[in-house]
Amino acid sequence: MSKKNKFTTLTALAISAQLIVGSCYAASADWFEKFKQTASDKELYTLLYAMPKGGDLHHHITGSALSEWWYDLALEQSAHGYEFYTKVKVNNCRDYGGNEFGFSPYYLLFTNLLASSYDKLPACEKAEYKPLKDLNATEKAAWLNSIRLDKDHEGRDEFFQTHWQRMNELSSSPYLIAELLVKNMQAFGDEGLIYMEPMMGAFGYTKPDGTVIPAEVTADIFRDRLQQADAKATGITVRMQESILRFSPRAEDSLRKYYDFISKNNDLYVAVNMVGREDNDKGHPARFLPVLRELRHKYNNVKLSIHAGEVDEPNYHIRDTLLLGADRIGHGVNLITDDDMMRQMRNGPYLVEINLISNLLLEYIDDYSQHPFPEYLRIGIPVALSTDDRGMWDSNLTDEFFVAVKEFNLSWAELNTLGENSIKYSFLDQQTKNTLLNEYQEKMAKFEQQVSTSGIKNITTTPVSYSFICDKYQLCLEES
């Protein structure tokens, strides 16, 4: 066969393949559009729950744990010598204002302490606390609700100024955090997820007596836990990020420390993430340009993702964040206000980590008609859905997809793109990324073949939902 004829034949085959793919795509789009027109919310949710999903690239491990998990696992920490106390009343033991503007305000109920810290309190303050294991039913219910947004009037300030402060020393045990990770892996695995990249630092943990545990020891605790049978049975690959509080006065020192740690523990840790309220101007992006340029002179294996655009005002934080070297943007709600950046981010290489439920509950949007997600998606800015702090929202990843389909009429091709993006833009090494991408595509193709012909009638997975979807969409299914 001549080169010309060979080329012509190959071209014809390529065109035929494109026609076949196009025909399949049209069929795919057709079945899902018909399904949406006739399906009940429960049927749609069932399909989305069972649907294979790629990765969750944006969630804080301590914010991703359900309150019930925290409570049960905290009591189990007695096996490692940890005992926790929680504040159940205020006896006005301090003058007004004492530590009211510190990390753990005095007047905040259900603040949690290690027994070693409780033992150091004066008698008056000790009387304000009870062992966590001794709470009565009313106190336990209030404790559970204290670390999730469970009331309509609660929003951004409640979240940023009380939830984390109440947890306080509850997150001192690396064994507890390792168990929370596996709990999340199991729950996400039931939803069809195959990759997680939690913000789950190795620094700041202590022994029961308050002695600091070295980060390298903590990392080994996490590694060992991931090798246990129940973790492996989830089928989920995990890599982690260290996170720094952007407005901390010593944030630059943290960056230096974390870059070195991640570089030395690159089998488990892949990136640094800068977190914290952007409306605190002490954490503005440009502050970190000198130190990041310094660090890039030395380290070649540390990625960077930064919360940016999670703010009400139009500003250039996303532009400045990309200048810092970030590969991914967390939230990106106000990107829509920067026309030049909107144009530049089309078709990559940067991804915006979209958190629909978080943005609503923290009041960065009043309702979903204001959310820029569909604009980003449909003009070619890479996006992926993620959960942020699902434990505090009492939600899951399926809720994010359900909101996206209900509010923005997503097509099947768009759902597939979101899943692929969550693997393509992960911080995995290329070989593992390719393996997971192939796994996701194979699972998605098999699932599509199943549901495009028979709908949900052959789906055997029972969807599990939580209070968010019940409260906001009156879709109340089985709870975990």
Side-chain angles (χ1 to χ4, degrees), residues 71-85:
Y71 187 83
D72 293 341
L73 292 175
L75 299 191
E76 292 176 11
Q77 291 308 295
S78 59
H80 298 285
Y82 295 87
E83 184 180 3
F84 298 98
Y85 284 74

Side-chain angles (χ1 to χ4, degrees), residues 13-135:
L13 288 171
I15 292 172
S16 298
Q18 289 176 353
L19 290 173
I20 292 170
V21 170
S23 175
C24 292
Y25 170 79
S28 299
D30 184 59
W31 79 261
F32 189 59
E33 295 309 310
K34 289 180 179 177
F35 178 82
K36 286 187 295 181
Q37 290 170 13
T38 59
S40 67
D41 282 353
K42 182 178 180 181
E43 289 171 330
L44 175 61
Y45 195 92
T46 298
L47 183 140
L48 294 174
Y49 187 90
M51 179 184 74
K53 301 171 185 69
D56 189 334
L57 302 181
H58 184 120
H59 66 267
H60 310 258
I61 193 65
T62 49
S64 296
L66 301 178
S67 297
E68 290 79 6
W69 298 352
W70 275 112
Y71 187 83
D72 293 341
L73 292 175
L75 299 191
E76 292 176 11
Q77 291 308 295
S78 59
H80 298 285
Y82 295 87
E83 184 180 3
F84 298 98
Y85 284 74
T86 191
K87 181 179 281 193
V88 295
K89 61 182 177 179
V90 175
N91 290 337
N92 292 313
C93 300
R94 301 183 191 178
D95 292 335
Y96 180 77
N99 188 32
E100 199 55 23
F101 300 102
F103 174 75
S104 183
Y106 170 70
Y107 292 103
L108 192 63
L109 291 175
F110 300 112
T111 299
N112 298 283
L113 295 178
L114 286 168
S116 56
S117 296
Y118 167 82
D119 289 340
K120 297 174 185 176
L121 293 175
C124 181
E125 291 192 41
K126 280 185 176 179
E128 299 174 327
Y129 285 80
K130 287 180 73 170
L132 190 60
K133 62 183 174 59
D134 291 343
L135 297 184

Side-chain angles (χ1 to χ4, degrees), residues 255-295:
L255 268 174
R256 293 185 180 94
K257 179 169 63 175
Y258 294 168
Y259 259 70
D260 187 66
F261 171 78
I262 292 167
S263 182
K264 293 175 180 175
N265 293 272
N266 217 220
D267 63 308
L268 185 63
Y269 281 87
V270 291
V272 169
N273 203 311
M274 289 169 53
V275 307
R277 297 182 70 155
E278 286 182 80
D279 52 12
N280 183 329
D281 291 338
K282 293 184 182 299
H284 67 94
R287 166 185 169 184
F288 300 98
L289 186 57
V291 67
L292 286 167
R293 284 179 171 169
E294 166 198 323
L295 292 168

